[in-house]
Amino acid sequence: MAAGSISSEKVDLLIYGPGRPILQNGFSDQFVLHTAETKHDLERLAAVAEKVRGIAVTYHTVNADKSALAIFPKLEIVASFGVGYDHVDSAYAREHGVVVTNTPDVLTEEVADVAMGLLIATLREFVKADRYLRSGLWNTQNYPLSVGSLRDRKVGIIGMGRIGQAIGRRLDASRVPVVYHSRRPAADVSYKHYPDLIEMAKAVDTLIVIVPGGAATANLVNAEVLKALGPRGVVINVARGSVVDEQALIAALKSGTILAAGLDVFAKEPAVPEELRAMQNVVLLPHIGSASVVTRNAMDQLVVDNLKAWFAGKPPLTPVAETPVKGR
């Protein structure tokens, strides 16, 4: 990969996706910034397409596929906001000598907090109880006992990367048994590893989903997995909506195949099926896993720092596995 340099010329960068303050304002006057909120907007960049050497992708709903990246023949780096980067065509990038970066670590604890909070809120019916109090029903009768509890649970985590391990630490502190499923055992992790997801679902009553999106994990949690989880089963998804078969989940919740679900992500965000919105045994969040001011600012800054490092001739801080950087 060619070494970038900002010593003798300004570097043209594209901010691709919804505007974010740090990404708009975090660069020095050594950069020329262009913006495009949607893929359709890229068409108007024809006059500068050959100048653009770096792209900051601001959100996972932005489609940085082959057709989008191919517009920029001198592209060197795509710095993507977020841990997941299934919205960026990393295979195309690798083939064309383009490095892709993401923003790991800085959001690990935040997302793990949300996963744990969503699990407890789902089991103990916090949202339902809040509505009960606000309706005035508590004036006439006590809220019924929650069916679910963290106290009698065994959790299977799907994915044991940084965030999966952070969730595991929280469950350890709550004295909840943990096992996990992944393609291969994670290094330095003592929890029991299940290479077969169905077998893990049979062994637990709670699934927490925290794996990358993309073709390899599409509908990983399907009707068969939900059936194996059973009538006490709870599904918590803080990964990508694509990982859980949404229609199979709705059917399982309706039929009592599983007990409940807590979802921070959906198949076609921001559209959420009316069937899910109408259910009392589902807690729904608008994809807020990393959505605190402090964490989003840290993620934005890491996008900026990756781009600045690259064009200063240094290695980017967090390249993804598909586009490793050598020789810098």
Side-chain angles (χ1 to χ4, degrees):
M1 297 179 182
S5 173
I6 60 172
S7 60
S8 60
E9 60 177 290
K10 289 187 176 182
V11 175
D12 285 66
L13 298 180
L14 170 64
I15 310 298
Y16 184 26
R20 307 188 61 80
I22 290 179
L23 295 185
Q24 296 287 355
N25 304 316
F27 296 99
S28 69
D29 59 6
Q30 293 170 307
F31 294 87
V32 178
L33 299 185
H34 309 277
T35 60
E37 290 209 359
T38 68
K39 194 172 180 181
H40 179 73
D41 292 339
L42 295 179
E43 296 176 4
R44 62 180 174 80
L45 294 174
V48 298
E50 291 206 5
K51 295 181 179 180
V52 171
R53 294 166 58 193
I55 297 177
V57 179
T58 70
Y59 205 55
H60 73 93
T61 55
V62 175
N63 188 8
D65 60 10
K66 174 181 178 180
S67 62
L69 301 183
I71 293 172
F72 307 101
K74 295 184 179 178
L75 188 62
E76 298 175 23
I77 181 171
V78 177
S80 183
F81 172 91
V83 171
Y85 52 92
D86 48 300
H87 55 297
V88 179
D89 193 333
S90 55
Y92 172 89
R94 181 179 62 251
E95 292 169 6
H96 291 80
V98 177
V99 65
V100 177
T101 67
N102 63 343
T103 60
D105 297 322
V106 292
L107 51 62
T108 295
E109 303 302 330
E110 197 79 81
V111 176
D113 287 346
V114 168
M116 194 68 179
L118 186 54
L119 173 61
I120 296 172
T122 300
L123 289 170
R124 294 302 313 279
E125 304 173 4
F126 285 174
V127 176
K128 185 178 176 181
D130 176 85
R131 289 195 294 259
Y132 185 93
L133 182 151
R134 292 175 188 274
S135 72
L137 285 173
W138 195 27
N139 295 319
T140 60
Q141 55 188 323
N142 287 330
Y143 185 80
L145 302 180
S146 63
V147 175
S149 171
L150 197 60
R151 301 277 62 82
D152 60 350
R153 291 269 144 186
K154 184 176 183 180
V155 174
I157 300 176
I158 304 177
M160 192 49 67
R162 297 175 180 89
I163 301 174
Q165 292 177 44
I167 294 169
R169 291 195 300 271
R170 285 156 175 76
L171 290 165
D172 289 342
S174 298
R175 300 183 179 181
V176 176
V178 174
V179 297
Y180 74 101
H181 164 75
S182 60
R183 288 178 295 177
R184 60 186 67 87
D188 301 319
V189 171
S190 61
Y191 308 128
K192 181 176 180 178
H193 173 251
Y194 280 84
D196 186 278
L197 178 54
I198 296 291
E199 291 305 310
M200 186 179 79
K202 291 177 180 177
V204 303
D205 47 32
T206 307
L207 294 178
I208 298 180
V209 186
I210 186 62
V211 290
T217 59
N219 291 337
L220 180 65
V221 178
N222 56 24
E224 188 179 4
V225 172
L226 297 171
K227 182 179 179 181
L229 188 61
R232 295 184 70 249
V234 172
V235 173
I236 304 297
N237 190 4
V238 289
R240 284 283 194 260
S242 61
V243 180
V244 176
D245 184 332
E246 201 163 74
Q247 291 307 308
L249 178 65
I250 290 170
L253 289 164
K254 281 184 171 180
S255 66
T257 298
I258 66 171
L259 177 66
L263 308 173
D264 186 42
V265 290
F266 305 90
K268 297 180 180 179
E269 298 177 11
V272 177
E274 177 58 35
E275 292 165 298
L276 283 176
R277 291 191 285 137
M279 290 179 180
Q280 295 297 304
N281 57 337
V282 181
V283 177
L284 307 174
L285 302 179
H287 202 150
I288 61 169
S290 64
S292 71
V293 171
V294 63
T295 295
R296 287 290 173 86
N297 283 349
M299 294 165 69
D300 285 343
Q301 191 61 56
L302 186 49
V303 172
V304 171
D305 291 345
N306 271 305
L307 288 163
K308 282 187 171 181
W310 178 259
F311 289 110
K314 302 174 183 177
L317 282 69
T318 52
V320 304
E322 292 86 343
T323 60
V325 178
K326 299 178 181 178
R328 273 203 181 196

